[in-house]
Amino acid sequence: MEPTVIELRHYHAGDLPNEFRQLLLDVHADAYADQMDDPFIQRFPWFVDHWSGLDGFSCVVGFDDGQPVGFAYGAPLGAGREWWREHIDPAPAAASTFGLSEIMVRPRWRKTGISQRLHDELIDRRPEDLAVLLVDPDHPKVQALYESWGYRKVGDRQPFPDSPKYAVMLRDLH
């Protein structure tokens, strides 16, 4: 199915509508319907609250005929929170970083190019020097997709005791 994305809407910290959180939770419930018994997957509401509360939070949601198809969100990593630096020796001296926390597309719209469109809309005009994300290495096709978008693996990280061990991927933005 080739979707017609009618609209890409931008959301930012401080101007989130009341229904924003629920919109993300609904997309997540559809995207992970077969994994909702996983305790780590069940913690997604916490991640939404955490990331959307950060200064500089930015989100792009795609809509097809008024129906949300997916989203991408993240926020700048503040000084001392650029955890990716431990994976590069020597790390760049001055490299501001945008942390890309989530790209999520509902099953009906997967493999249509919408994930790249959401991604590009979110980061193409970012002022930071770099973008960083984590990807589950058990999904090599997803990791290869990020590599095709200019990311490179720089290490591995398990951010929470109950999370998977992720590949740390970094991309120059300028």
Side-chain angles (χ1 to χ4, degrees), residues 51 54-58 73-77 97-101 126 128:
W51 281 89
L54 294 175
D55 287 338
F57 171 79
S58 184
Y73 72 70
L77 300 181
T97 308
F98 184 77
L100 180 56
S101 178
R126 295 297 316 172
E128 293 83 12

Side-chain angles (χ1 to χ4, degrees), residues 22-32 68-71 104 106:
Q22 190 59 52
L23 182 147
L24 297 187
L25 297 180
D26 290 346
V27 170
H28 176 263
D30 189 20
Y32 286 92
V69 302
F71 58 83
M104 196 171 301
R106 295 173 63 199

Side-chain angles (χ1 to χ4, degrees), residues 76 96-98 122-130 173-174:
S96 58
T97 308
F98 184 77
L122 180 66
I123 71 161
D124 275 355
R125 291 180 289 278
R126 295 297 316 172
E128 293 83 12
D129 300 311
L130 302 166
L173 292 180
H174 306 288

Side-chain angles (χ1 to χ4, degrees), residues 18 88 137 146 149 164 167:
N18 292 336
I88 298 178
Y146 290 136
W149 296 351

Side-chain angles (χ1 to χ4, degrees), residues 14-15 18 33-34 38 41 56 76 82-83 92 114 122 133-134 136 142 146 156 159:
D15 68 355
N18 292 336
D34 61 341
D38 181 323
I41 298 294
E82 294 175 322
W83 43 263
I114 190 63
L122 180 66
L133 59 81
L134 299 174
D136 188 339
V142 176
Y146 290 136
D156 295 295

Side-chain angles (χ1 to χ4, degrees), residues 65-159:
D65 198 25
Q67 183 176 10
V69 302
F71 58 83
Y73 72 70
L77 300 181
R81 292 195 58 231
E82 294 175 322
W83 43 263
W84 59 266
R85 289 179 177 276
E86 68 193 50
H87 300 287
I88 298 178
D89 187 21
S96 58
T97 308
F98 184 77
L100 180 56
S101 178
E102 294 288 344
I103 298 178
M104 196 171 301
V105 176
R106 295 173 63 199
R108 181 176 166 204
W109 287 270
R110 290 181 184 154
K111 298 182 181 180
T112 64
I114 190 63
S115 62
Q116 184 170 9
R117 186 162 177 216
L118 292 165
H119 169 272
D120 292 352
E121 185 72 16
L122 180 66
I123 71 161
D124 275 355
R125 291 180 289 278
R126 295 297 316 172
E128 293 83 12
D129 300 311
L130 302 166
V132 66
L133 59 81
L134 299 174
V135 62
D136 188 339
D138 289 342
H139 298 98
K141 288 182 181 179
V142 176
Q143 186 170 333
L145 180 65
Y146 290 136
E147 289 168 351
S148 76
W149 296 351
Y151 289 88
R152 67 188 184 283
K153 181 179 176 185
V154 296
D156 295 295
R157 180 178 181 82
Q158 185 174 7

